[in-house]
Amino acid sequence: MPNIAALIGGNRYTVDEINRSDSQPIASHIEDAYNWLTSTMNKNNFETVLVNPKWTPCSKIENTKNCAQSDQVRENLYEIYDFNPLQEVNNDVYTLAVFTIFKITPVSLKPLWYDSTFFKNTLKGNAQLILTVNSRYSEYLYIKHLSEISQIAEETTHNKFIHIWTNTLISPFSLDSQCGPLEPQQYDMYSMDSRLNSTRCVLNALTDWFEWMKKNDVFDNTKIIMVADHGAHNYDQNWVRGAVNPIFLVKEFDQKGSIQTQRTLVQNSDVASIICSSIGGCRDISQNPILNPDKNKVCLLYTSPSP
């Protein structure tokens, strides 16, 4: 959660900057970052579509053409893809209790609790599966629906900016081998198979979107940025070792050819700079580090104690 505002609004919202000011809760910083982004795009003649904004309700974000988070949008997608949400569960009380105890346990005792039967049992159960599928399956459906979201009416003079946030590739997973919702008592939400299924489904959906853009002659005139809040290492084993290496892919306007690796130091909070470099720059936003490398740049890593 501490990284989210920086991913949206740039280096002004990094953990150290937020801690330095200590002016408001993190959720308020995230809301401010979203509104900075949407107002900036609006001033530059872009219609903004937000898909699953994180930790901020659509009602608190202005200057959006569409904020795909409402119950009505979800219901429309469910009808299109023939999905009936699983039975309603208000909360998985057992899981909440176990994770709450884990959070407040002294660091020296966390390994004992982490290896206990209580903790392992939180990774099972229909209640958690129902909550996961009901909340996350719609995120996958939004990705499947991106070609429709991307269309621009012929009479408009605006460009379109689409900001997508998804937890689909973070456990617990919600997709089966056919890219449908996991069913109770049938799949393991934390298994490597479930992770691979979700990864394949999302990559295929994105590929369909890219192919749609090429077919409609808008791929070359589209800038695509793919970034994560953290990386991973050896799934389910010492993942924090790879946390400092989140995926960061950028396709510039009219860029062609194979993927190239650049050794310039960048961090995920540089997304704002990369966006702003395409619209002539933004006030109080540093230059795009890919185009203007800073040899003296320093990235700070913040971690919490791991079990």
Side-chain angles (χ1 to χ4, degrees):
M1 184 175 181
N3 286 321
I4 294 175
L7 272 167
I8 301 164
N11 293 310
R12 300 167 299 167
Y13 294 96
T14 56
V15 175
D16 55 319
E17 290 295 330
I18 289 177
N19 287 341
R20 185 175 293 115
S21 64
D22 194 25
S23 59
Q24 58 185 1
I26 291 177
S28 298
H29 285 292
I30 296 173
E31 179 183 331
D32 290 347
Y34 269 120
N35 278 290
W36 167 82
L37 179 62
T38 56
S39 64
T40 297
M41 302 314 295
N42 183 60
K43 291 176 183 176
N44 286 274
N45 205 35
F46 280 82
E47 291 182 346
T48 298
V49 174
L50 299 179
V51 179
N52 295 319
K54 193 69 173 172
W55 300 107
T56 307
C58 290
S59 59
K60 293 189 176 182
I61 306 175
E62 301 177 348
N63 298 301
T64 59
K65 173 69 175 179
N66 186 12
C67 188
Q69 192 188 48
S70 68
D71 291 337
Q72 181 179 357
V73 174
R74 284 196 180 95
E75 289 171 2
N76 289 341
L77 285 174
Y78 292 162
E79 183 175 348
I80 293 172
Y81 294 101
D82 191 27
F83 168 64
N84 293 316
L86 302 180
Q87 66 190 74
E88 183 177 351
V89 174
N90 292 324
N91 266 314
D92 185 346
V93 177
Y94 180 87
T95 299
L96 288 174
V98 171
F99 274 92
T100 298
I101 295 172
F102 176 75
K103 288 292 185 179
I104 64 176
T105 299
V107 174
S108 60
L109 298 179
K110 284 184 185 292
L112 296 177
W113 187 248
Y114 188 74
D115 292 331
S116 70
T117 302
F118 296 105
F119 203 94
K120 292 177 180 178
N121 285 340
T122 65
L123 310 183
K124 303 176 182 178
N126 286 348
Q128 186 179 172
L129 175 62
I130 291 170
L131 285 169
T132 298
V133 170
N134 286 357
S135 63
R136 290 193 176 178
Y137 187 60
S138 61
E139 295 186 15
Y140 168 70
L141 295 183
Y142 282 127
I143 297 175
K144 288 278 291 183
H145 202 57
L146 282 173
S147 57
E148 287 82 359
I149 294 174
S150 303
Q151 295 188 44
I152 300 177
E154 293 184 2
E155 65 273 12
T156 185
T157 58
H158 289 76
N159 299 305
K160 180 162 284 191
F161 174 80
I162 302 176
H163 184 278
I164 308 162
W165 191 289
T166 181
N167 292 319
T168 307
L169 299 182
I170 300 176
S171 62
F173 305 107
S174 60
L175 302 176
D176 63 20
S177 60
Q178 303 301 313
C179 300
L182 291 178
E183 297 179 3
Q185 303 297 347
Q186 189 172 354
Y187 294 95
D188 184 348
M189 295 175 287
Y190 294 87
S191 71
M192 190 62 177
D193 285 343
S194 293
R195 181 184 184 87
L196 293 175
N197 286 337
S198 292
T199 301
R200 175 178 52 79
C201 292
V202 169
L203 289 177
N204 285 343
L206 289 174
T207 298
D208 291 342
W209 185 41
F210 297 155
E211 292 297 333
W212 175 87
M213 286 192 280
K214 292 179 179 179
K215 182 179 179 180
N216 288 273
D217 298 322
V218 295
F219 184 79
D220 289 345
N221 194 35
T222 299
K223 184 169 187 172
I224 302 172
I225 303 171
M226 300 181 68
V227 67
D229 55 346
H230 61 73
H233 174 80
N234 288 349
Y235 174 59
D236 204 28
Q237 296 181 26
N238 299 320
W239 73 269
V240 292
R241 293 184 179 180
V244 296
N245 294 312
I247 186 173
F248 205 132
L249 298 176
V250 180
K251 187 203 83 71
E252 287 286 352
F253 292 112
D254 300 313
Q255 184 178 12
K256 296 178 174 62
S258 58
I259 295 177
Q260 299 179 359
T261 301
Q262 188 166 335
R263 306 301 298 177
T264 303
L265 179 61
V266 296
Q267 59 191 42
N268 44 20
S269 59
D270 288 322
V271 168
S273 298
I274 295 172
I275 292 173
C276 288
S277 69
S278 300
I279 53 178
C282 303
R283 183 179 178 182
D284 297 328
I285 297 294
S286 58
Q287 292 183 317
N288 182 343
I290 297 176
L291 303 177
N292 303 276
D294 180 2
K295 295 181 179 180
N296 298 317
K297 182 172 183 175
V298 175
C299 291
L300 300 178
L301 171 66
Y302 294 83
T303 63
S304 56
S306 59

